[in-house]
Amino acid sequence: MVLAFLLSAPFASASAQKQGGILRITHRDSPASMSIHEEGTISTVLPMMGVFNNLVMFDPARKQNSLDDIVPDLAEKWAWSEDGKTLTFTLRKGVKWHDGKPFTAADVKCTIDLLQGNAPENFKVNFRKGWYANVESATANGESEAVLKLKAPQPALLGLLASGFSPMYPCHVGPREMRQAPIGTGPFKFVEYKPNQTIKLVRNPSYWKPGKPYLDGVEYTIIPNRSTAILAFQSSKFDMIFPFEVTVPLVGDIKANRPDAICETAPMNVAANILMNPVPPFDDIEVRRAVAMTLDRKAFRDIMTSGTGDAGGAMQPLPEGRWGLPAEILRELPGYGADVAKSREKARAIMAAKGYGPNKPLKLKVSTRNLPTYRDASVILISQLKEIHIDGELQLVDTAQWVPKLIRRDYAIAVSQVGNGVDDPDQNYFENYVCGSRTYMDYCNKDIDAMVAAQSAERDPEKRRKIAWEIDRKLTNEAVRPMLYYMYGATCWQPGLKGVTIQVNSIYNNWRFDDVWLE
């Protein structure tokens, strides 16, 4: 589980909340599109979440989300069948899309059909198709009742639907238009997106929550250079810096120049990780393990997060995460022991047996997205790979080309970041590890798939946890996407921005901005 910003103010009286004003936020890069369902990054979720609603969402008053803390959004209520294989939603009446057409149960069915790849016009990229593989059918029972029938029980499905990655899309607007000019039911309407310049939203005067939002609009200015963005914030040109884009060491610099700025540092359910294309030599599990064994994860945490980051496997580590591996299991896995020198000695022996050494290094490019946290982690990795005779050259890739490059498997080693929309094995394992998912390395292990299905259907939380741990242990032992460190980041905002609180959740959740206001 990660700490993310929830913009809510349950502590403030209604009289203190002011109407009007434009919220100005820096943005770190140009997203490939405006369609949340077709993107895998907060670069799209942050500006677009305010355009949409989900069926349900995580309770904003809770510090750490769970399946017990889900509240209504477009669905007023829901009910499970006794066998856990039918989920029925009763929808709000009177909700309208931004173009004035009514929201109905048919839109729920259309959204699920899109996510499953069963629509007349499907998504170009569908990262979260695996989330809904267990849904047998979605039907509309009149205008106000939507029914999901499942192939097997799946208690976590409701949590997946509560994620910021799970907005409802309209039947009458196709994926092509949703990528360019999305139509939602949320507190803000999309106005325009100018790549490398701005993303603009305006207040939805017909929002179904009376009196909300308080703001007249939200504007994002795209500033790829983090130092430039911070300087602009310090000179009061912006109300908020892009969430979690401020590194821990930079918080002190900001506070030194702007003592009145409010900065919050929090763990993120985002991990820097290594992708290895399974062609020679990385089709050899021993070579992949050697890479994992050369890692000094403490060095990554010390440099990248001033020692505040966490080491973990496939699931976010405890205690912020609910599903992370216990320390006694983790330290027995490749690259997690305390003696880095001994681990590297074993890794060099593996590489020598494969024909690599001081006089014959393995030369390759280390590809990464052209963003500061990606670049910095890649530079550290390149230095650590030299310890096992891998000579890496940094290759920077623009954001719009990053995911297509990974999908094409056009890389040897890549430093990426995996961000989880929900702290739950159903989200992480189905999206990132099962056969056919977005591993970017065509990883496929039928035994793992069977275990993932078993934990998903398991209703006993403790039994499910034990299966989830065993999956994590196996993935980490096989060096499938070795995790470098789980990230910490900070967000800073001006004191005149009110209603900002902290929620233990995902960095991809709760970016509606419908409860904040400007003094």
Side-chain angles (χ1 to χ4, degrees):
M1 199 63 59
V2 299
L3 293 176
F5 289 93
L6 170 71
L7 298 149
S8 179
F11 52 84
S13 65
S15 61
Q17 296 161 350
K18 295 177 61 177
Q19 293 280 351
I22 302 295
L23 177 60
R24 303 160 301 163
I25 306 175
T26 66
H27 198 294
R28 64 184 186 176
D29 63 1
S30 288
S33 81
M34 295 290 98
S35 177
I36 289 178
H37 284 307
E38 295 187 73
E39 301 297 336
T41 170
I42 191 175
S43 295
T44 295
V45 175
L46 173 66
M48 288 299 102
M49 191 170 177
V51 175
F52 296 100
N53 290 106
N54 292 13
L55 287 173
V56 294
M57 63 185 295
F58 290 108
D59 185 351
R62 298 288 183 177
K63 295 294 289 183
Q64 190 177 36
N65 63 33
S66 75
L67 294 178
D68 297 324
D69 301 321
I70 292 175
V71 297
D73 203 18
L74 288 175
E76 291 184 322
K77 59 183 180 179
W78 57 91
W80 286 100
S81 63
E82 188 173 345
D83 65 0
K85 294 171 65 173
T86 302
L87 180 57
T88 302
F89 293 97
T90 302
L91 307 180
R92 296 183 187 278
K93 295 180 174 65
V95 177
K96 294 186 181 298
W97 296 100
H98 292 156
D99 57 7
K101 296 185 183 298
F103 164 76
T104 71
D107 297 304
V108 178
K109 172 177 168 50
C110 285
T111 301
I112 299 299
D113 286 347
L114 277 166
L115 289 165
Q116 292 189 306
N118 296 328
E121 179 189 355
N122 286 307
F123 296 135
K124 288 174 62 178
V125 179
N126 192 348
F127 289 125
R128 285 162 288 281
K129 183 177 181 179
W131 289 22
Y132 305 98
N134 188 42
V135 177
E136 186 171 71
S137 66
T139 57
N141 186 8
E143 293 192 347
S144 300
E145 186 174 275
V147 181
L148 303 185
K149 290 190 178 297
L150 311 184
K151 301 170 188 175
Q154 188 181 7
L157 179 63
L158 203 62
L160 302 182
L161 290 167
S163 165
F165 279 121
S166 303
M168 290 294 103
Y169 272 21
C171 283
H172 63 281
V173 182
R176 183 187 300 272
E177 186 176 347
M178 293 296 282
R179 288 192 287 270
Q180 300 171 351
I183 300 292
T185 59
F188 296 97
K189 294 182 176 183
F190 175 82
V191 176
E192 65 177 0
Y193 168 41
K194 294 182 178 179
N196 299 311
Q197 297 183 52
T198 60
I199 302 171
K200 294 183 179 181
L201 311 180
V202 67
R203 182 178 189 270
N204 174 15
S206 302
Y207 189 41
W208 53 271
K209 290 184 180 180
K212 304 286 184 72
Y214 302 117
L215 298 166
D216 289 333
V218 186
E219 293 186 2
Y220 300 84
T221 299
I222 297 168
I223 307 176
N225 186 290
R226 182 169 54 195
S227 297
T228 302
I230 289 174
L231 288 172
F233 171 79
Q234 290 174 340
S235 63
S236 299
K237 293 181 179 178
F238 295 96
D239 304 298
M240 178 181 279
I241 298 177
F242 193 93
F244 298 98
E245 194 65 11
V246 179
T247 63
V248 175
L250 287 174
V251 173
D253 295 340
I254 292 174
K255 295 293 288 184
N257 288 287
R258 285 295 305 268
D260 60 337
I262 301 167
C263 294
E264 295 284 353
T265 301
M268 304 157 63
N269 199 350
V270 177
N273 63 98
I274 303 173
L275 301 175
M276 288 176 273
N277 195 343
V279 296
F282 297 116
D283 57 337
D284 188 332
I285 189 172
E286 291 189 14
V287 175
R288 297 198 302 270
R289 280 188 179 137
V291 170
M293 291 164 66
T294 195
L295 298 176
D296 181 351
R297 289 178 166 85
K298 184 177 184 300
F300 278 95
R301 300 196 302 274
D302 288 346
I303 296 169
M304 298 296 296
T305 66
S306 296
T308 56
D310 297 313
M315 296 299 299
Q316 188 183 13
L318 304 168
E320 292 86 5
R322 294 180 181 271
W323 301 91
L325 283 173
E328 61 270 20
I329 297 178
L330 193 64
R331 60 174 167 258
E332 299 299 322
L333 296 171
Y336 287 91
D339 193 337
V340 175
K342 184 177 180 180
S343 181
R344 285 177 173 171
E345 183 179 347
K346 292 179 179 178
R348 281 191 291 269
I350 292 172
M351 295 300 288
K354 304 300 178 182
Y356 301 104
N359 299 321
K360 188 184 176 184
L362 172 59
K363 295 186 177 183
L364 47 75
K365 291 183 178 180
V366 177
S367 305
T368 198
R369 188 175 173 187
N370 193 12
L371 289 174
T373 54
Y374 287 72
R375 292 195 304 265
D376 295 346
S378 298
V379 170
I380 299 170
L381 176 63
I382 288 171
S383 70
Q384 295 190 7
L385 290 176
K386 290 182 183 298
E387 297 287 337
I388 59 169
H389 312 304
I390 297 178
D391 187 0
E393 176 188 350
L394 184 64
Q395 181 186 56
L396 299 177
V397 183
D398 288 340
T399 288
Q401 300 303 317
W402 177 236
V403 170
K405 183 180 182 69
L406 297 182
I407 291 174
R408 295 193 308 269
R409 278 180 36 188
D410 179 21
Y411 69 92
I413 278 185
V415 173
S416 188
Q417 292 177 9
V418 57
N420 292 310
V422 185
D423 179 35
D424 191 276
D426 272 18
Q427 181 267 304
N428 190 10
Y429 294 156
F430 279 117
E431 183 174 343
N432 298 310
Y433 294 101
V434 301
C435 298
S437 66
R438 64 159 184 164
T439 61
Y440 301 131
M441 61 190 98
D442 293 347
Y443 175 78
C444 182
N445 185 323
K446 295 295 186 181
D447 292 337
I448 291 288
D449 283 14
M451 295 174 70
V452 171
Q455 66 79 32
S456 179
E458 179 56 62
R459 296 194 193 186
D460 184 311
E462 286 309 310
K463 290 181 180 179
R464 186 178 180 225
R465 190 182 310 277
K466 295 290 178 61
I467 303 172
W469 282 352
E470 182 60 15
I471 296 168
D472 198 340
R473 189 191 67 79
K474 286 180 177 292
L475 291 170
T476 305
N477 187 52
E478 292 185 15
V480 181
R481 197 180 228 149
M483 299 298 160
L484 298 174
Y485 70 104
Y486 275 80
M487 301 170 66
Y488 273 59
T491 299
C492 297
W493 63 92
Q494 305 289 359
L497 176 59
K498 300 299 182 180
V500 181
T501 60
I502 297 291
Q503 181 191 27
V504 176
N505 209 302
S506 163
I507 66 168
Y508 303 97
N509 293 353
N510 301 313
W511 296 109
R512 292 254 181 89
F513 297 108
D514 55 350
D515 281 333
V516 302
W517 71 97
L518 295 165
E519 282 193 336

